[in-house]
Amino acid sequence: MSTPDDRRYTDQHEWAMVQGTDGTSTVVRIGITDHAQDALGDIVFVQLPEVGDEVTPGTAIGEVESTKSVSDFYAPVAGVVAAVNERLADAPETLNSDPYGDGWLVEIAVPGEGGDPVGQLLDAAAYQALVEGS
């Protein structure tokens, strides 16, 4: 199982990576982990939030449906949905084949440019330990 160390993780199996700033906010890209897509199996549908939706940490913002089950995914940071991965509507299986690249889900604009909005999340080693302990 792959766990890149260039991003942070949640105990709900999402990853978050700072993309940069847009002048007033820090943009954070969100996806599900390799472990999550593997546990779900073949992904057949993704429900994403709307651009402009306000989100808070720990709240469900969308769903990933596989041949096995339907699972919510959660916002790891507070902010406003700035972009959604439109390609997943036609190719939800991208979450299986490339969960850390083309299979990203949403980008959230976190107000303010100071600090690290994902700093409180798990690093790769801590996430790997969590997965191995479950």
Side-chain angles (χ1 to χ4, degrees), residues 16-133:
M17 186 167 69
V18 173
Q19 296 294 296
T21 61
D22 65 7
T24 59
S25 303
T26 300
V27 178
V28 178
R29 183 171 279 185
I30 311 299
I32 62 170
T33 65
D34 191 25
H35 173 79
Q37 71 78 23
D38 185 59
L40 284 166
D42 294 333
I43 295 171
V44 296
F45 180 75
V46 180
Q47 178 186 338
L48 299 171
E50 297 289 326
V51 171
D53 285 357
E54 288 192 35
V55 298
T56 56
T59 58
I61 59 172
E63 293 179 342
V64 176
E65 183 176 332
S66 71
T67 54
K68 292 181 184 178
S69 68
V70 176
S71 293
D72 290 333
F73 65 91
Y74 302 87
V77 295
V80 175
V81 176
V84 297
N85 190 346
E86 304 278 352
R87 291 178 288 186
L88 297 179
D90 294 326
E93 67 277 2
T94 306
L95 283 172
N96 292 118
S97 61
D98 193 10
Y100 296 120
D102 289 340
W104 63 276
L105 295 167
V106 300
E107 290 182 347
I108 298 173
V110 180
E113 294 185 68
D116 181 2
V118 299
Q120 78 283 5
L121 301 177
L122 302 170
D123 64 18
Y127 178 73
Q128 192 71 37
L130 172 87
V131 169
E132 290 169 0

